[in-house]
Amino acid sequence: MKSRDIARYALLTALALTLSWLESLVPIPGAPPGVKLGLGNLAVVFALYRLGPGQAAGVGLVRAMLAAAMFGNMYSLAYSLAGAAVSLPVMLGLKRTGKFSILGVSAAGGAGHNIGQILVAMAALRAGYAAGYLPVLLVSGVSAGVAVGLAGGLVTERVRL
């Protein structure tokens, strides 16, 4: 791996981690438990469009591990990794079709992330009733995905790495 590639990964991972940290400091008034904007995913979406799927997965994985170690716990790591394990293939598949904009890809990624999180909640609680929370998370996940997609589209158009 070239030093330039390492610098790109480091920059995007630091950005993702910083955005995740900032997000943890600012609660969303009136938001249901577990609902977040997913600002750190902006770096993952950017990496997906500018660097490729492997690099996007790497940025997401390292961000999840560092965020859990620095201001989370093992549960937050499990939720984050499960969300990434579902959302990244969804985003990659939709991107490869060429029929979806970055906004649509990101919105679907937000929904996929929440589906992964619900699966972890169902396993952790050993209860299927956790799936009843999925509609709430899907609305917030798609909304956050749209916001990240809008920002990601602007950043991807203007920033070259």
Side-chain angles (χ1 to χ4, degrees), residues 51-117:
L51 304 177
Q55 293 81 351
V59 168
L61 176 65
V62 173
R63 182 210 49 91
M65 292 189 310
L66 290 174
M70 293 174 69
F71 41 88
N73 54 45
M74 291 308 291
Y75 283 111
S76 63
L77 177 62
Y79 285 114
S80 185
L81 291 178
V86 176
S87 69
L88 192 61
V90 166
M91 289 192 299
L92 180 59
L94 293 179
K95 180 182 179 288
R96 282 186 176 161
T97 69
K99 297 180 180 181
F100 295 88
S101 68
I102 192 170
L103 191 143
V105 168
S106 180
H113 191 85
N114 292 137
I115 290 168
Q117 289 178 318

